[in-house]
Amino acid sequence: MSRTIPDPLISEAAALIGDPTRAAMLGVLLDGRARTAKELASLAGVAPATASGHIAKMTAAGLVSVASQGRHRYVRLASAEVAEILERLMALAAFARPPRRAVGAEEAAFRHARSCYDHFAGTLSVELAEALVRRDVLRRGPDGFEPTLHGERWFRALGVDVARARASSRAFARCCLDWSERRDHLAGALGAALLEALLAKGHLVRRKDGRTLDVPASGRRFFAEEIDRSPPRSAAAGRPGGEQPAEQQRA
Amino acid sequence: MSRTIPDPLISEAAALIGDPTRAAMLGVLLDGRARTAKELASLAGVAPATASGHIAKMTAAGLVSVASQGRHRYVRLASAEVAEILERLMALAAFARPPRRAVGAEEAAFRHARSCYDHFAGTLSVELAEALVRRDVLRRGPDGFEPTLHGERWFRALGVDVARARASSRAFARCCLDWSERRDHLAGALGAALLEALLAKGHLVRRKDGRTLDVPASGRRFFAEEIDRSPPRSAAAGRPGGEQPAEQQRA
DNA sequence: CCGACGCTTCGGCCGCGGCCGAAGCGTCCC
DNA sequence: GGGACGCTTCGGCCGCGGCCGAAGCGTCGG
């Protein structure tokens, strides 16, 4: 019997992602930053020659894009779509396998606040997005979220250039499903601008390696303020401050 | 340097999907129907022994689930999440590669109306979902769509048991991004019930093989009626980015 | 009870593809 | 110009994993 239309399409990209070395590289790139080929090689634990081959393949398949700059070649994820697929694959694996062991402080922090490609993800980001919807800063629209007029002021007050984000060629304010939370948070150009602003204001701080975002005191104040400003939606919603309350999920 | 947390998680599932034979099987299962191991073997073009091994691996990883029934073992996709990841991978491949050749009638029909796991997808489904939103039958809510009170009547008139869909353990009315359209359509328990009802009423007819859905005369009348009942939204419905030439409106 | 059938397990074959070191090319900086 | 550095290409090694046929187990039906 003839195979139906879609199969070779599916397997191509998946086979690329499926190699552990390439997956490690993509995992690194998930923070949205660009990396040189050598950096990726050492982070993934292979020789530069090997990494080079991987990068070439992933570029051809549209998973990553490369920018030459001097004698360096900077590699980054090709698009937010790629990032989202990677996040979903993580979600799949996390729920298919048993929860293994209790989560450590490292992983708790990672689930709490991290960067996903170029925007803000994790428990805290989901709570923020939901609070913004309750406060009528954001509304759900046909293409994800949409800031209200009142909401545009909120973003501007944070230092986000809403007009520039809207003018961007990419989706303006998509919603992105969080793998650890299974709830939406703000992505797209506006999400990226928001993360940028939160970093600039020092409410979030990137760790040097990895995607985990630390939440310093000023950030804890900020999020507590913004999230609690609206009627609590349920008993469990609170606790934005602590970054390692042994967030044990699922028995 | 130590690899960051997520990599092995990502590559596991992806490696499974990445094998062409397994991808072929998953592609077949994307129509939501359960298949016996032998059927899958012949559809994927391998010996039963080979297929058996693949099925075991995919089951362990939570990609498919198996139900023994007499001497048959029925295989189906494990969840709507898996189906969505597969659809997204297709989208990625379709946009990374050039459109290759002009789309044939086969593929045009496939893009127009097909089943995606257990719900209705394709151009027509996207148009229907958007029309239902315009007519206030559906609204966008925090977890995808939500039927209005008036909308519940609409669904019931079609023979959809809304209360049962809502009681189901799975997500009630998620929105699912269409790979060929890049726009949302109705998924989740309500989406599944809707497809069921449309098939029962004869507005859609499954082809024996593959996921393409044919739209007989009664269905064409139904969709024309339901979609046109609201003001047209704009001249060109699609995003300018991915133009599909000759989206022939099947006869 | 026996044969047909569906499925799985086992053993062995084989090829694809990841890996590296060495060599080559381009860029930068002294 | 020369050397250090980043990256790529090439050749060759090697192991993982997909594939099959044969054999074994369970189920169904006459």
Side-chain angles (χ1 to χ4, degrees):
Chain A
M1 213 21 191
S2 67
R3 292 187 177 182
T4 44
I5 299 172
D7 26 297
L9 282 69
I10 295 182
S11 65
E12 237 180 76
L16 252 40
I17 303 172
D19 175 76
T21 301
R22 282 190 294 257
M25 294 177 170
L26 292 169
V28 168
L29 294 174
L30 252 187
D31 69 359
R33 283 178 283 192
R35 303 280 189 164
T36 67
K38 191 177 191 182
E39 259 180 318
L40 281 180
S42 89
L43 286 169
V46 294
T50 307
S52 177
H54 286 319
I55 293 169
K57 283 178 190 167
M58 292 193 289
T59 305
L63 288 175
V64 302
S65 64
V66 182
S68 290
Q69 203 164 306
R71 53 182 164 181
H72 296 278
R73 303 197 69 195
Y74 286 97
V75 183
R76 60 175 57 218
L77 249 38
S79 70
E81 275 87 356
V82 175
E84 192 166 347
I85 288 177
L86 294 174
E87 285 269 335
R88 278 174 194 266
L89 284 169
M90 283 176 63
L92 196 64
F95 279 80
R97 302 236 155 274
R100 302 181 308 188
R101 31 151 198 81
V103 294
E106 278 292 317
E107 188 169 340
F110 181 72
R111 284 171 185 256
H112 183 247
R114 66 178 178 278
S115 56
C116 166
Y117 188 46
D118 59 2
H119 60 270
F120 175 33
T123 324
L124 198 54
S125 78
V126 171
E127 287 174 8
L128 179 61
E130 293 182 350
L132 294 182
V133 168
R134 286 198 301 281
R135 291 168 52 190
D136 206 37
V137 167
L138 288 178
R139 283 207 188 129
R140 299 197 171 254
D143 294 315
F145 294 106
E146 179 68 29
T148 58
L149 276 179
H150 152 242
E152 298 209 1
R153 277 200 303 278
W154 184 88
F155 279 102
R156 260 192 296 271
L158 249 181
V160 173
D161 188 338
V162 179
R164 196 161 61 89
R166 202 186 291 278
S168 149
S169 63
R170 51 184 295 212
F172 170 57
R174 279 221 75 77
C175 52
C176 175
L177 196 66
D178 201 279
W179 73 267
S180 53
E181 284 297 301
R182 303 210 144 187
R183 314 182 71 163
D184 287 332
H185 58 253
L186 181 63
L190 188 60
L194 174 63
L195 173 59
E196 211 178 318
L198 291 173
L199 289 168
K201 283 214 182 281
H203 295 330
L204 294 174
V205 179
R206 280 191 199 277
R207 292 197 183 174
K208 294 129 305 284
D209 59 332
R211 301 157 51 201
T212 303
L213 297 170
D214 284 316
V215 188
S218 101
R220 283 201 292 279
R221 259 181 281 114
F222 171 80
F223 286 108
E225 165 90 3
E226 296 296 336
I227 292 173
D228 288 348
R229 184 176 283 180
S230 49
R233 45 177 290 130
S234 79
R239 284 238 128 266
E243 57 211 66
Q244 66 195 23
E247 165 122 350
Q248 218 123 322
Q249 61 173 59
R250 311 151 56 333
Chain B
M1 208 43 197
S2 67
R3 293 188 175 181
T4 46
I5 301 172
D7 26 297
L9 283 69
I10 295 183
S11 64
E12 242 181 71
L16 285 168
I17 303 173
D19 174 77
T21 301
R22 282 190 293 258
M25 293 176 170
L26 292 169
V28 168
L29 294 174
L30 253 187
D31 68 0
R33 283 179 283 192
R35 303 281 191 164
T36 67
K38 192 178 191 182
E39 259 180 318
L40 282 180
S42 90
L43 286 169
V46 294
T50 307
S52 177
H54 285 318
I55 292 169
K57 282 178 190 168
M58 291 193 290
T59 305
L63 288 175
V64 302
S65 64
V66 182
S68 290
Q69 202 163 308
R71 54 182 164 180
H72 297 279
R73 303 197 69 196
Y74 286 96
V75 183
R76 59 175 57 218
L77 249 39
S79 70
E81 275 87 357
V82 175
E84 192 166 348
I85 289 178
L86 294 174
E87 286 269 335
R88 278 174 192 267
L89 284 169
M90 284 177 62
L92 195 66
F95 279 80
R97 303 234 155 275
R100 300 183 308 188
R101 31 156 193 80
V103 295
E106 278 293 318
E107 189 168 341
F110 181 72
R111 284 171 184 258
H112 183 246
R114 66 178 177 279
S115 55
C116 166
Y117 189 47
D118 58 2
H119 59 270
F120 176 32
T123 325
L124 198 54
S125 78
V126 172
E127 287 173 9
L128 178 62
E130 294 182 350
L132 294 181
V133 168
R134 286 198 301 281
R135 291 166 53 189
D136 206 37
V137 166
L138 288 178
R139 281 205 189 131
R140 299 197 171 255
D143 294 315
F145 294 107
E146 178 68 29
T148 59
L149 277 178
H150 152 243
E152 299 210 2
R153 278 201 303 279
W154 184 89
F155 279 103
R156 260 194 294 273
L158 250 182
V160 174
D161 186 340
V162 179
R164 196 160 62 88
R166 200 185 294 276
S168 148
S169 63
R170 51 185 293 210
F172 171 55
R174 277 222 76 75
C175 54
C176 174
L177 197 66
D178 202 279
W179 73 267
S180 53
E181 286 295 302
R182 303 209 143 185
R183 312 182 71 163
D184 286 332
H185 58 253
L186 180 64
L190 188 60
L194 175 63
L195 173 58
E196 211 178 318
L198 291 172
L199 289 168
K201 284 216 182 280
H203 294 331
L204 294 173
V205 180
R206 278 191 200 280
R207 292 196 184 175
K208 294 131 304 285
D209 59 331
R211 300 156 51 200
T212 304
L213 298 169
D214 285 316
V215 188
S218 102
R220 283 200 295 279
R221 258 182 280 115
F222 170 81
F223 286 108
E225 165 90 3
E226 296 294 337
I227 292 173
D228 288 349
R229 185 176 283 182
S230 51
R233 47 177 284 137
S234 79
R239 294 183 63 86
E243 92 290 345
Q244 282 324 323
E247 174 68 71
Q248 51 213 78
Q249 205 75 353
R250 344 188 335 77

